């Protein structure tokens, strides 16, 4: 390495992502994002460490002051014994009381829901990123896809112009 040259630092994300919910970002307008811990059983953690989970049908609801994650599929741990977990059981979310109250109040408004965006490990602990979201209309989805395609074409044109220069 030449004198004075700096080594490029790769900015590593401390999160080890297990699952993403791309469908949620397509179907909803994300208004607010929260990070919550999860109460899991041992075989669920092992299945997640293998990178196996699906957030597609997941949602969050508040019941008696506690937030619950439902519809998330964490498949059974194939090396588990008779006390393996149920793949679609509801799981308790660990949030502050004021966050739960805010989520509950906003979720009761018309057109709003709380959906999981991603499931990951942070410092060895399972976390889920949840979002307060409002449903998109069909024309909003088409408009978002059109904007994405236009941006992609503009970047491609600029790259092509740079190659010609």
């Amino acid at each position: 390495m030449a004198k004075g040259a700096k080594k490029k630092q790769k900015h590593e994300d401390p999160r080890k992502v297990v699952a993403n919910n791309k469908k949620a970002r397509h179907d909803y307008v994300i208004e607010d994002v929260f990070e919550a811990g999860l109460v899991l059983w041992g075989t669920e953690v092992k299945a997640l460490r293998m990178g196996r989970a699906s957030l597609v049908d997941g949602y969050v609801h508040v019941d008696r002051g506690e937030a619950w994650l439902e519809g998330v599929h964490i498949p059974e741990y194939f090396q588990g014994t008779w006390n393996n977990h149920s793949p679609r059981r509801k799981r308790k979310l660990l949030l502050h009381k004021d966050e739960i109250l805010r989520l509950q109040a906003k979720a009761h408004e018309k057109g709003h829901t709380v959906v999981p965006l991603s499931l990951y490990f942070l410092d060895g602990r399972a976390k889920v990123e949840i979002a307060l979201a409002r449903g998109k209309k069909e024309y909003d989805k088409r408009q978002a896809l059109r904007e994405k395609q236009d941006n992609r074409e503009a970047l491609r044109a600029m790259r092509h112009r740079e190659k010609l220069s």
Side-chain angles (χ1 to χ4, degrees), residues 25-148:
R25 294 193 187 276
H26 176 71
D27 291 342
Y28 300 100
V29 175
I30 307 301
E31 293 183 356
D32 203 2
V33 178
F34 299 90
E35 181 182 70
L38 278 167
V39 177
L40 299 173
W41 293 352
T43 54
E44 289 175 317
V45 175
K46 290 179 180 184
L48 286 177
R49 289 201 188 280
M50 292 175 60
R52 303 173 65 205
S54 173
L55 300 174
V56 175
D57 298 329
Y59 63 95
V60 176
H61 82 278
V62 179
D63 183 30
R64 290 185 235 147
E66 295 180 336
W68 295 89
L69 180 65
E70 291 199 37
V72 172
H73 185 266
I74 299 175
E76 288 185 353
Y77 182 59
F78 64 88
Q79 292 178 340
T81 59
W82 55 271
N83 61 352
N84 220 336
H85 66 276
S86 168
R88 287 205 181 263
R89 76 175 188 90
K90 68 181 197 176
R91 295 162 180 97
K92 187 175 178 181
L93 293 177
L94 303 173
L95 288 163
H96 290 286
K97 189 79 169 176
D98 61 322
E99 291 175 332
I100 293 173
L101 293 174
R102 189 166 25 151
L103 278 174
Q104 186 176 20
K106 289 284 192 175
H108 283 298
E109 292 179 9
K110 188 174 194 273
H112 285 80
T113 187
V114 184
V115 293
L117 296 179
S118 65
L119 185 62
Y120 54 90
F121 283 99
L122 183 65
D123 296 331
R125 299 185 195 287
K127 303 282 185 180
V128 63
E129 188 176 60
I130 58 175
L132 179 65
R134 184 173 30 89
K136 281 186 184 178
K137 303 282 190 227
E138 193 63 37
Y139 58 83
D140 289 336
K141 294 177 190 178
R142 286 194 299 264
Q143 182 66 26
L145 287 173
R146 192 174 301 119
E147 287 175 8
K148 189 175 178 181

